Amino acid sequence: MPHAGGQRSWLLVAGVVSSAGGMTVVHFRLLGSCIISYSVAENAKTCYSLAMEGYLPRITEERIARALAQFPIVVIEGPRGVGKTTTASLFAKSIVRLPQDLGNLRADPEGFLALLEPPILIDEWQLAGTDFLWILKNLVDADPTSGRFILTGSVEPASYGPTYPLTGRSVRVTIFPMMASEIAGNGSGPQFLSRFLDAPPAVTAGEIGTFDVTKLFTTGFPAARALPDAAMFLESYAATVSQRAGDEGRDSTRFYRTAQVLATLEAQAVPDQRIWEAADINKATWKKYQDLLARTWLAAPIPAFSSNRLARITEYPKRFLVDTALSLALAQVSEDELLRDPMLLGRYLESYVAAQLRPQTASLRAELYHLRTSGGAHEIDFIVDAPKGVLAFEVKAATSVTASDAKHLLWLRENLGERFLKGAVLYTGADVRPIAGNIWAIPISLLD
């Protein structure tokens, strides 16, 4: 039967429980949008668990569940407003909300937390200060049972002091803005990267349609998706993050302008100097802003790939903001402008692809890179460096693809040898077709 608690509505759903040695042993696993109780014991029996009504499953849920089964503390990080607290609440038996509960937490942290049933979610933990992490360290050193605490926060502290207290006691899980598949309600199913890694794509012919450019303006921030003017929300979001710069003694107006410059440089591999000159700031100020952009997750640059098999590779990161619609709003780029300028459209298509690949790459415990040789002779938009090998992708703002569009992928395959698993030209057309061996043309829409 349904149960309402605070702002959450819950439904009882089927799960499993097990008995061992006369004791009931319960662990947690996520299945779809439901939290399922489970045990590795063979004598599993049916029980009930809870699921949030109207909740859209997230790709990170499985990783959170695995982390809680292995570590006493799980730190869930990511930009403000991407649903960290909502997702973490699925796993929590108790919730400490800061700053509301800050008085209790400061008065007697050990005693207050001892009254609560784990897993205990501590929301916006950074408001308690980094010294609070030393208290958690002592608690989990005394009782290292897995799944005791979940920490969520939207701003990484500027410093943790001489050492990080939770080393070896915690694991970090990042939640990014929602992917298109999550918005469609398919966040719990197999995603594009895992499907592509496991099997060749099914070849098609005669499919009709092209990529819908309006998807670039659909933000992954849950609160803004239903708004009639998401751009207004996104500009306000960036202004709120900029105010953080003011709180830390920096110029919030210049910080906002720097974010706008980054938005205009979306999907370009440029040196830092290009940014600070365009933003009319000096190098020292840029370094401070760069730190805050990283700590607030507003910027999400993709680093350059390196390999001893490849020579003369540029080290500049490719610049991205964390959400394509946010970047378009700050750059003040309209749909008409994108449709009139194929090169501009190509850059923001790259941004869209990056937003789909980031969470999927993290779920595979892989790393996301770009590659560009000095002078630009060869350039690969995205490289997924997974434990099994490398996947590589080129993005084209075109409805058809020829073999020449895969020339950089062919070059990479030749140089990486067996390390190169598969590659694809992601384009705005509708058909999947082979190009050369383990390289295909794949519609961008299949990333949804």
Side-chain angles (χ1 to χ4, degrees):
M1 64 178 61
H3 169 69
Q7 296 180 343
R8 298 175 294 173
S9 295
W10 303 92
L11 292 175
L12 293 176
V13 295
V16 292
V17 68
S18 66
S19 297
M23 297 180 63
T24 300
V25 181
V26 180
H27 300 276
F28 296 97
R29 179 170 65 90
L30 199 86
L31 182 62
S33 61
C34 305
I35 307 175
I36 304 298
S37 302
Y38 84 103
S39 171
V40 294
E42 295 181 358
N43 58 331
K45 296 181 181 180
T46 302
C47 77
Y48 292 101
S49 185
L50 300 173
M52 191 179 292
E53 276 190 296
Y55 175 78
L56 294 175
R58 306 298 298 270
I59 189 175
T60 48
E61 294 164 358
E62 183 180 352
R63 190 170 185 189
I64 293 171
R66 289 200 309 265
L68 285 169
Q70 299 178 62
F71 290 85
I73 301 174
V74 176
V75 181
I76 300 179
E77 56 190 7
R80 183 179 297 277
V82 293
K84 298 185 299 297
T85 302
T86 302
T87 299
S89 297
L90 291 171
F91 297 89
K93 293 290 186 67
S94 306
I95 301 179
V96 177
R97 298 187 184 276
L98 302 184
Q100 296 96 314
D101 297 320
L102 193 54
N104 290 329
L105 199 60
R106 284 179 172 169
D108 181 11
E110 293 90 347
F112 177 57
L113 295 174
L115 296 173
L116 304 177
E117 182 180 3
I120 302 169
L121 167 59
I122 304 173
D123 189 34
E124 298 296 348
W125 71 266
Q126 76 279 357
L127 297 178
T130 55
D131 287 346
F132 174 64
L133 298 183
W134 290 97
I135 295 171
L136 291 183
K137 171 191 177 297
N138 293 334
L139 289 174
V140 300
D141 283 352
D143 178 5
T145 303
S146 59
R148 292 191 63 190
F149 299 101
I150 306 171
L151 309 184
T152 59
S154 301
V155 180
E156 190 79 5
S159 174
Y160 287 96
T163 60
Y164 181 60
L166 302 186
T167 301
R169 302 164 180 86
S170 68
V171 65
R172 291 174 177 260
V173 178
T174 303
I175 296 184
F176 295 98
M178 298 181 79
M179 303 181 297
S181 62
E182 292 174 319
I183 294 172
N186 300 321
S188 62
Q191 301 298 312
F192 167 77
L193 270 186
S194 60
R195 297 195 306 267
F196 187 57
L197 186 62
D198 291 343
V203 175
T204 64
E207 295 290 331
I208 299 174
T210 59
F211 179 79
D212 182 2
V213 174
T214 62
K215 289 184 178 181
L216 304 183
F217 295 86
T218 301
T219 180
F221 290 98
R225 289 188 295 105
L227 295 178
D229 187 359
M232 183 180 294
F233 171 93
L234 294 167
E235 290 168 358
S236 176
Y237 180 94
T240 300
V241 174
S242 300
Q243 186 56 50
R244 179 75 187 188
D247 295 341
E248 295 186 3
R250 294 162 192 153
D251 189 324
S252 59
T253 301
R254 288 188 174 185
F255 181 88
Y256 187 88
R257 186 168 66 236
T258 302
Q260 289 180 305
V261 167
L262 286 171
T264 64
L265 294 173
E266 190 81 354
Q268 296 187 63
V270 298
D272 288 354
Q273 186 173 355
R274 173 87 175 272
I275 301 168
W276 79 61
E277 288 180 349
D280 193 24
I281 57 177
N282 59 35
K283 180 178 180 180
T285 300
W286 159 244
K287 291 301 181 183
K288 293 176 181 177
Y289 287 178
Q290 187 178 36
D291 172 68
L292 184 56
L293 286 162
R295 290 191 288 114
T296 57
W297 298 86
L298 190 64
I302 293 178
F305 181 73
S306 63
S307 170
N308 55 15
R309 298 186 182 186
L310 303 172
R312 299 179 62 201
I313 299 176
T314 181
E315 296 180 353
Y316 300 142
K318 187 170 279 192
R319 312 292 176 167
F320 292 98
L321 295 188
V322 75
D323 181 74
T324 304
L326 173 64
S327 185
L328 286 164
L330 292 184
Q332 298 181 337
V333 174
S334 68
E335 182 182 345
D336 287 342
E337 288 177 282
L338 291 179
L339 294 175
R340 288 196 305 266
D341 188 339
M343 290 187 64
L344 187 66
L345 174 60
R347 284 173 41 213
Y348 287 98
L349 279 173
E350 276 192 53
S351 174
Y352 178 85
V353 171
Q356 313 312 307
L357 294 182
R358 267 188 217 102
Q360 296 183 44
T361 301
S363 72
L364 294 176
R365 298 181 183 178
E367 299 293 336
L368 186 61
Y369 299 100
H370 82 96
L371 186 151
R372 188 176 189 274
T373 58
S374 300
H378 296 287
E379 185 171 359
I380 309 293
D381 293 326
F382 300 105
I383 291 179
V384 177
D385 193 3
K388 294 180 180 180
V390 164
L391 304 175
F393 302 97
E394 280 279 87
V395 179
K396 298 293 180 184
T399 56
S400 61
V401 173
T402 65
S404 64
D405 293 318
K407 62 183 179 181
H408 300 303
L409 296 173
L410 292 168
W411 167 82
L412 185 66
R413 183 175 70 179
E414 180 181 350
N415 280 273
L416 292 186
E418 294 181 356
R419 183 72 182 151
F420 183 97
L421 298 178
K422 296 174 184 175
V425 178
L426 302 174
Y427 75 120
T428 58
D431 277 319
V432 176
R433 66 181 189 83
I435 295 179
N438 53 352
I439 297 173
W440 291 265
I442 298 178
I444 294 174
S445 58
L446 290 188
L447 272 67
D448 296 358

